[in-house]
Amino acid sequence: MGDGKNGRAQRIGEVILALKGVSLAFGGVKALSDVSFDVREHEVRAIIGPNGAGKSSMLNVINGVYHPQQGTIRYLGREYHDMDPHEVAVSGISRTFQSLALFKGMSVLDNIMAGRNLKMRSGVLMQALRIGPALREEIQHREAVERIIDFLEIQAYRKTPVGRLPYGLQKRVDLARALAMEPRVLLLDEPMAGMNMEEKQDMCRFILDVNDQFGTTIVLIEHDMSVVMDISDRVVVLDYGAKIGDGTPDEVRANQAVIDAYLGVSH
Amino acid sequence: MKNMIGKEGPFLALCAVLLIGLVLPLATGASAPGFYVEVLLGGLMAGVLYSLVALGFALIFKASGVFNFAQGAMVLFAALAVARVAERIPLWAAIVVGIGIMIALAWLIERLVLRPLVNQEPIALFMATLGLTFFLDGFGQTVWGSDIYKIELGIAKEPVMVLQSIFQGGILVNKEDFMAALVAAALVASLALFFQKTSTGRALRAVADDHQAAQSIGIPLNRMWVIVWSVAGIVALVAGVIWGSKLGVQFSLSLVALKALPVVILGGFTSVPGAIVGGLIIGVGEKMAEVFLGPPLVKAFDLAGGGIENWFAFMLALMFLLVRPQGLFGEKHIDRV
Amino acid sequence: MFYRENGQFKSSYGSDQQMLPILQDRAFMFGLLAFAFLVVPFVVRDYVFLSLLIPFLILAVAALGLNLLVGYCGQISLGHAAFMAVGAYAAYNLVLRVPQLNFLVVLVLAGLIAAAVGVLFGIPSLRIKGLYLGVATLAAQFFMDWVFARVKWFTNYAHSGSVQTAPLELFGWTVDSPVEKYLFLLCVLIVFTIVANNLVRGHIGRAWMATRDMDVAAEVIGIRPVYAKLTAFAISSFYVGVAGALWGFVHLGSWEPLAFNLTLSLNLLFMVIIGGLGSLLGSYFGAAFIVVLPIVLNQVPAWLGVPISTAMASHLEFMIFGALIVFFLIVEPHGLARLWAIGKEKMRLWPFPH
């Protein structure tokens, strides 16, 4: 692990995504209060914090599902007050979901192919006739998807409706779908929730491979501390919607405020 | 504040347009004030009846989460029952029998339709009420026939001239309509109280929020549903009797009642006051459009007659759905991922 | 035992993604088409064509269209017959005012006009969904009902409000006998089915299904809800518009505005529910069911020796329709298509029970 991390440290680039002063509230409930942090290209950035700290809301803001009342998001040099989900996807941010959000009515293959939709250009008429460019496009993207299926080792389940798969495999399909978009930044919302030791090791391996082989920046929400400490370059800690820690895993581990938050010291 | 106006802008614009439309005939002098008030009152009274039917919708949706497309069919069914039974026995007895029939119907619906479908998505339940609509329409007419039947409420049908001192020539008010409006208003008020103040009402609201949670605190779901559908059935009966005595009991009653759908859209699906306000707005809007918008349109486009009433309510609902989907009093729905 | 995919390996993605990848399915389809084209025209009586096969073929096109919208894209429409009306009246006016046009061109144009109207009334789907959308589509139904009844231009100022059509001509071939109509409609249905199949397998089909299953997630992975929903409305209305034109010209011959009323809309919806939402085969089953049921119901009292009036028969029909909808929703919410799929699974395993 140590070697890989040091190797990665050399590749970590400039700030690619930055949030400044983001505040989000639903009615009277404050989900995020004045949160600011940045993400550097090619790094593995973890977001941790107790339940309800606003971590998923954070990702939802980046994706444009939620629009913050205050603050800005800076991505690829441009500043936004709120993001448009489609633009976000097209400009290279993709994500997995805590509650999977897979398309239950479709097979594994179709779910992952759906991730390629934003790259497919053929018009309705061409698709209706399924000739020429439309057919070539289908096959070309099918090849790309098959490479991802090989990478995540889910070949046997291609044609299975996703609803029938066990939880661990569904999570892999979720990841595959996000990878199909060929993202620059991959947001992972608790990718290892509900997994046993072996499944977690597999998932870790996949995530690191993605970061290694494709150079994808990873932002991941995770509860398992050993995973976080092992694979992440930098960590952000949220509690009650506010940032209480930001730095390398070692720095964060020693941060008193973080320790207090996790041990439940009242504040 | 500016942000709020920006967000609610389209909705406020729609309200402004409607208000202007409402006042225009009076302001431009296109109609005599007396006539205008007559149309307005007529609209209000029709609106009260719409509210009644919409209330049935709202009740069922509040308490069982089901969107009961068959509410209109229930109105027709109840009206047919009362009309035909009243041919043999006095009207008040027929109404009692009718109430009994609606309660039995509610029990059957709970047993045969709601219980087997309890775990399915709302869309499946909605489709089931579509099927129920067809079934009730067919069954009612099979058992009781498909002619036009009369219901004699014993109230004079001739209109009465009132307020001659204020408006020149007075305004024609239909006594029957007036009584109907009173009855409906009383029913609506008591139902609103029922929901807010009684424990059964609270239990029903709990069930509407979350079936499983309500069950887990010991609320007997099945019994609640029978109660709610019975109440909705009785509401349908009252609407059916009133409307039936006005228009005659016939198949088109089912379609007229369908207009209560736009009412719940305007008012908000889960809101009892919304059903009331929505009904009044639709009733007035429809009448106004038919009387004041119709003739100019017919002239301008050389149309074969009016009939704007057929679609005005729905178009209005459509506009509302675009600017304020939750209706006037409904709850906003937030999608979480 | 007979229906196994064993040994049928695919060596290219293209062949894996084809419409009928299993050999037995291809054989069955070939046999069915041969039967439909070569046997039926000679064996079946005119009455069966006129009352069963012709309505079935047209309604199957409509059901395919509605299924694309409701079953594949998850947008409910309670007023789809309004778009059938648009197609029918558009075709009527085109034939009337531009008589040089080939009827196939008229059909396509009528479909496009219906598609445009469909997109217009589909715009609410961008803001609302589920049952709210259903009520919004009712606005389409009642408004179009009114337009075609009142705006005299559409019915060419006919006194009664009803319109009449002449038998249609295609490349010099007059399509007026039942067999000819049947063959023409069969070809139309086959083309429309292939197109629907292609769309469903393409990225637009996946966009629809993603929007149906989880629209927020679909947006996040880069599928534009506007694109998915409005194309669904457009294409579905195109299908239904063409079906409406065919219904008016080939089946009815003459019609009044109320021919495309709410009851027809609800019937279309029942077709796709009973047949199976999200299944092209289901559209066929549903259309067949809705066409056959009234005929069966009309015969039953005769068999039982109990005479009933036509009015009574139609009321009974309503009752049984309604009861069957509820029955299906309870027993097999995924419709006849699911029962068929279960049957195929059993065939796969036969003679073993499981």
Side-chain angles (χ1 to χ4, degrees):
Chain A
M1 270 299 140
D3 230 339
K5 252 216 217 177
N6 285 335
R8 224 171 33 240
Q10 289 159 13
R11 279 191 297 152
I12 292 179
E14 294 306 309
V15 170
I16 187 176
L17 173 68
L19 282 88
K20 262 177 64 179
V22 169
S23 292
L24 176 71
F26 300 110
V29 179
K30 281 201 134 214
L32 295 169
S33 304
D34 197 35
V35 176
S36 306
F37 69 92
D38 60 41
V39 178
R40 290 177 176 274
E41 190 149 24
H42 307 308
E43 77 170 329
V44 177
R45 192 83 150 102
I47 303 181
I48 65 175
N51 275 326
K55 310 188 291 289
S56 286
S57 302
M58 188 90 262
L59 293 192
N60 281 338
V61 164
I62 298 175
N63 270 127
V65 175
Y66 294 155
H67 296 163
Q69 277 77 17
Q70 277 157 354
T72 60
I73 302 142
R74 201 155 223 282
Y75 178 58
L76 293 180
R78 285 184 56 189
E79 219 168 72
Y80 304 88
H81 282 280
D82 43 48
M83 314 286 270
D84 164 54
H86 185 260
E87 239 191 86
V88 169
V90 163
S91 59
I93 303 182
S94 78
R95 71 173 281 187
T96 64
F97 298 85
Q98 193 176 8
S99 54
L100 288 181
L102 289 175
F103 304 126
K104 289 275 157 59
M106 298 201 259
S107 66
V108 167
L109 184 61
D110 280 336
N111 263 275
I112 307 173
M113 285 287 277
R116 299 299 286 185
N117 259 33
L118 76 173
K119 301 192 186 296
M120 297 182 75
R121 294 266 165 271
S122 49
V124 174
L125 200 53
M126 276 293 138
Q127 288 178 70
L129 300 170
R130 206 172 168 91
I131 53 175
L135 189 57
R136 276 197 295 276
E137 204 178 47
E138 279 285 313
I139 295 178
Q140 174 200 347
H141 287 288
R142 170 73 185 267
E143 284 169 359
V145 166
E146 288 289 337
R147 283 197 287 275
I148 296 173
I149 290 178
D150 283 342
F151 175 69
L152 289 175
E153 295 164 12
I154 46 178
Q155 300 90 326
Y157 310 100
R158 287 193 194 83
K159 299 282 175 76
T160 322
V162 284
R164 290 210 208 143
L165 292 175
Y167 185 70
L169 284 173
Q170 284 187 359
K171 276 224 170 284
R172 265 194 239 178
V173 176
D174 199 14
L175 180 59
R177 187 178 60 179
L179 289 176
M181 294 162 68
E182 289 175 14
R184 281 179 80 160
V185 179
L186 180 58
L187 309 174
L188 300 170
D189 199 340
E190 300 200 30
M192 304 188 212
M195 287 190 176
N196 62 30
M197 199 41 137
E198 281 176 19
E199 288 169 330
K200 279 194 193 183
Q201 284 178 351
D202 281 341
M203 191 53 102
C204 270
R205 176 165 52 92
F206 291 137
I207 294 174
L208 289 175
D209 279 348
V210 167
N211 180 258
D212 259 340
Q213 289 178 25
F214 307 122
T216 315
T217 311
I218 311 266
V219 177
L220 98 133
I221 296 178
E222 190 40 64
H223 274 303
D224 187 330
M225 278 310 128
S226 55
V227 166
V228 170
M229 297 304 157
D230 248 347
I231 70 172
S232 35
D233 296 308
R234 287 194 298 155
V235 181
V236 173
V237 190
L238 295 179
D239 188 28
Y240 285 106
K243 185 172 85 168
I244 60 173
D246 188 352
T248 67
D250 289 325
E251 286 167 8
V252 161
R253 195 169 13 206
N255 184 324
Q256 189 57 41
V258 174
I259 298 171
D260 283 346
Y262 272 97
L263 288 178
V265 173
S266 57
H267 33 330
Chain B
M1 182 65 181
K2 194 167 131 191
N3 211 356
M4 197 187 86
I5 292 187
K7 262 202 184 145
E8 301 290 355
F11 171 60
L12 292 173
L14 181 65
C15 289
V17 167
L18 289 175
L19 274 172
I20 292 175
L22 184 66
V23 183
L24 205 58
L26 198 59
T28 57
S31 86
F35 180 61
Y36 179 82
V37 174
E38 257 174 44
V39 175
L40 189 65
L41 284 178
L44 281 173
M45 297 201 203
V48 171
L49 288 179
Y50 284 142
S51 299
L52 208 50
V53 182
L55 206 58
F57 269 126
L59 283 177
I60 291 183
F61 192 77
K62 251 173 119 75
S64 57
V66 176
F67 184 66
N68 181 22
F69 194 81
Q71 192 69 24
M74 282 164 68
V75 169
L76 173 64
F77 187 78
L80 274 173
V82 170
R84 292 294 258 151
V85 168
E87 284 169 8
R88 315 287 183 87
I89 59 180
L91 185 62
W92 65 265
I95 291 183
V96 170
V97 168
I99 292 181
I101 292 179
M102 296 314 279
I103 295 181
L105 182 68
W107 187 84
L108 281 172
I109 290 177
E110 194 276 321
R111 218 57 245 297
L112 298 175
V113 178
L114 295 180
R115 216 184 285 188
L117 289 175
V118 70
N119 283 323
Q120 299 211 27
E121 305 148 12
I123 201 87
L125 283 163
F126 170 69
M127 308 279 199
T129 63
L130 277 181
L132 198 57
T133 308
F134 270 54
F135 182 79
L136 281 178
D137 276 344
F139 182 56
Q141 288 179 81
T142 304
V143 172
W144 286 301
S146 50
D147 291 324
I148 306 181
Y149 302 103
K150 286 174 151 305
I151 295 184
E152 299 292 345
L153 282 179
I155 306 175
K157 288 211 194 285
E158 304 84 42
V160 161
M161 199 76 87
V162 295
L163 293 178
Q164 273 149 319
S165 50
I166 306 181
F167 298 101
Q168 186 193 41
I171 327 174
L172 283 175
V173 169
N174 196 320
K175 213 173 181 186
E176 195 178 30
D177 280 349
F178 190 64
M179 292 300 299
L182 280 180
V183 167
L187 190 54
V188 160
S190 43
L191 279 172
L193 277 172
F194 170 71
F195 257 95
Q196 290 298 122
K197 303 288 177 193
T198 67
S199 63
T200 317
R202 264 199 303 280
L204 289 171
R205 283 189 287 149
V207 169
D209 256 345
D210 189 335
H211 291 177
Q212 286 185 318
Q215 241 179 342
S216 67
I217 60 170
I219 298 182
L221 271 185
N222 300 333
R223 189 134 50 92
M224 287 293 133
W225 286 341
V226 175
I227 294 177
V228 150
W229 282 74
S230 303
V231 172
I234 295 172
V235 167
L237 184 131
V238 172
V241 165
I242 294 177
W243 239 330
S245 97
K246 221 167 111 78
L247 299 173
V249 179
Q250 50 182 311
F251 181 66
S252 60
L253 213 54
S254 184
L255 292 173
V256 173
L258 207 58
K259 279 207 217 136
L261 280 174
V263 172
V264 283
I265 299 248
L266 244 76
F269 268 79
T270 52
S271 163
V272 168
I276 303 168
V277 173
L280 294 176
I281 295 179
I282 294 269
V284 169
E286 226 180 42
K287 271 283 181 306
M288 288 284 171
E290 181 71 43
V291 171
F292 294 119
L293 196 56
L297 274 182
V298 170
K299 270 231 189 90
F301 293 103
D302 187 24
L303 301 174
I308 297 187
E309 284 186 318
N310 292 342
W311 53 262
F312 184 79
F314 286 95
M315 273 304 189
L316 193 57
L318 184 56
M319 297 293 138
F320 257 83
L321 280 172
L322 293 175
V323 302
R324 198 178 165 98
Q326 72 271 32
L328 290 168
F329 298 98
E331 294 140 17
K332 235 182 172 160
H333 181 71
I334 305 181
D335 265 323
R336 291 210 166 225
V337 189
Chain C
M1 182 163 92
F2 299 111
Y3 191 65
R4 293 188 78 85
E5 298 161 58
N6 262 350
Q8 294 181 38
F9 299 111
K10 304 284 180 287
S11 54
S12 76
Y13 294 128
S15 64
D16 187 53
Q17 284 173 332
Q18 69 184 288
M19 207 182 299
L20 297 167
I22 302 177
L23 178 64
Q24 289 89 331
D25 281 337
R26 282 201 296 275
F28 180 75
M29 191 55 63
F30 184 71
L32 188 64
L33 284 176
F35 182 75
F37 273 105
L38 301 173
V39 177
V40 169
F42 300 104
V43 163
V44 166
R45 283 174 300 167
D46 276 359
Y47 157 72
V48 176
F49 281 123
L50 288 171
S51 59
L52 269 180
L53 289 173
I54 288 174
F56 164 70
L57 290 172
I58 301 177
L59 290 177
V61 173
L64 278 176
L66 189 59
N67 212 337
L68 290 178
L69 181 66
V70 182
Y72 283 93
C73 194
Q75 309 299 310
I76 191 166
S77 171
L78 294 175
H80 237 54
F83 308 128
M84 278 182 85
V86 173
Y89 281 100
Y92 173 75
N93 278 284
L94 282 168
V95 164
L96 185 71
R97 299 167 202 278
V98 192
Q100 318 90 301
L101 283 178
N102 181 304
F103 189 68
L104 289 178
V105 175
V106 168
L107 275 184
V108 170
L109 285 175
L112 288 173
I113 296 174
V117 177
V119 168
L120 200 60
F121 279 103
I123 291 177
S125 73
L126 302 174
R127 283 219 74 185
I128 52 179
K129 43 186 178 177
L131 308 173
Y132 296 83
L133 184 59
V135 178
T137 56
L138 278 180
Q141 173 73 57
F142 291 121
F143 185 71
M144 297 318 296
D145 271 354
W146 178 83
V147 164
F148 291 125
R150 309 288 175 167
V151 180
K152 298 183 233 169
W153 185 83
F154 288 114
T155 54
N156 201 23
Y157 299 91
H159 247 307
S160 59
S162 56
V163 301
Q164 253 143 348
T165 61
L168 54 105
E169 280 219 18
L170 270 183
F171 308 115
W173 168 44
T174 314
V175 183
D176 59 355
S177 83
V179 183
E180 289 168 341
K181 289 182 180 180
Y182 162 77
L183 287 170
F184 170 62
L185 292 173
L186 189 59
C187 294
V188 171
L189 180 60
I190 290 173
V191 168
F192 273 69
T193 307
I194 294 177
V195 167
N197 205 308
N198 288 342
L199 289 173
V200 160
R201 281 181 300 152
H203 66 82
I204 199 172
R206 287 190 292 272
W208 290 341
M209 292 192 271
T211 306
R212 171 195 68 194
D213 287 339
M214 269 249 169
D215 51 352
V216 183
E219 217 183 336
V220 166
I221 67 170
I223 293 173
R224 276 217 157 89
V226 176
Y227 174 74
K229 291 178 184 176
L230 291 185
T231 50
F233 267 95
I235 293 171
S236 153
S237 303
F238 179 85
Y239 268 62
V240 158
V242 171
L246 291 171
W247 188 253
F249 275 78
V250 178
H251 178 58
L252 292 178
S254 73
W255 69 88
E256 353 73 57
L258 288 179
F260 298 102
N261 63 2
L262 182 65
T263 309
L264 183 58
S265 286
L266 294 181
N267 271 339
L268 287 177
L269 197 57
F270 291 156
M271 275 183 235
V272 295
I273 299 172
I274 292 183
L277 286 169
S279 154
L280 296 180
L281 188 58
S283 314
Y284 275 71
F285 285 144
F289 187 83
I290 297 284
V291 167
V292 166
L293 187 65
I295 298 184
V296 166
L297 286 180
N298 267 323
Q299 305 295 344
V300 165
W303 291 339
L304 292 178
V306 176
I308 36 178
S309 64
T310 29
M312 185 67 92
S314 90
H315 296 318
L316 270 177
E317 211 182 287
F318 267 55
M319 257 178 74
I320 298 184
F321 255 34
L324 274 171
I325 301 278
V326 177
F327 176 74
F328 261 98
L329 285 166
I330 295 174
V331 161
E332 184 45 85
H334 294 109
L336 293 167
R338 174 60 65 93
L339 291 177
W340 176 261
I342 293 176
K344 285 212 296 194
E345 275 300 307
K346 297 270 181 216
M347 272 236 288
R348 221 171 241 190
L349 299 167
W350 186 82
F352 301 108
H354 57 86

